[in-house]
Amino acid sequence: MMTGFGHGTRAHPRSRGRTWSRNRPDSATLGIIGTVCAIAGFFALGIVLGPVAVVCGWLAMGRSWAGADRSVPALVALVLGAIDTLIAVISLAGAATWGNGMF
C-alpha cells in the first residue's frame, strides 16, 4: 500500500469543528449585532435597521421558533426589530397621505 505522497489513511487532516466555524459568525455575535441594530433603528433608519435586526435575531435563534437554547439578545433583536419595522412602515404610510402627518 502507498501511504506516502498524499495517500494517507485519513481523508481529512483537520477536524470538521475547527474549520467550519470560521465561515459564519456565532449566534451570540449575531444576537448582539441584531440588538444594536434594533436600538439604533429607533433613532435613525428604522426601515433599514429593523429588518436587519429581525434577520440577525432569526439567524441567532438558529432559524427556528422552538428550542430552549434561545439567547436573550437574539429574542430582543427579533422583537425590537419587528416593532421598529412596524413603526417605520406606519410613519412612512402616514407621510404619504394628503395630510402629511401620522393620522
Side-chain angles (χ1 to χ4, degrees), residues 16-98:
R16 176 168 271 220
R18 188 174 149 199
T19 57
W20 72 273
S21 63
R22 292 185 204 166
N23 294 336
R24 63 180 181 97
D26 59 343
S27 62
T29 305
L30 279 173
I32 292 171
I33 289 171
T35 303
V36 168
C37 287
I39 292 172
F42 282 115
F43 300 105
L45 295 175
I47 196 69
V48 175
L49 293 176
V52 168
V54 170
V55 169
C56 286
W58 178 253
L59 291 176
M61 286 173 47
R63 294 182 289 191
S64 68
W65 295 110
D69 58 343
R70 283 186 267 173
S71 66
V72 173
L75 192 61
V76 168
L78 189 70
V79 171
L80 287 181
I83 292 170
D84 193 18
T85 304
L86 186 66
I87 289 173
V89 167
I90 289 173
S91 67
L92 283 175
T97 60
W98 286 100

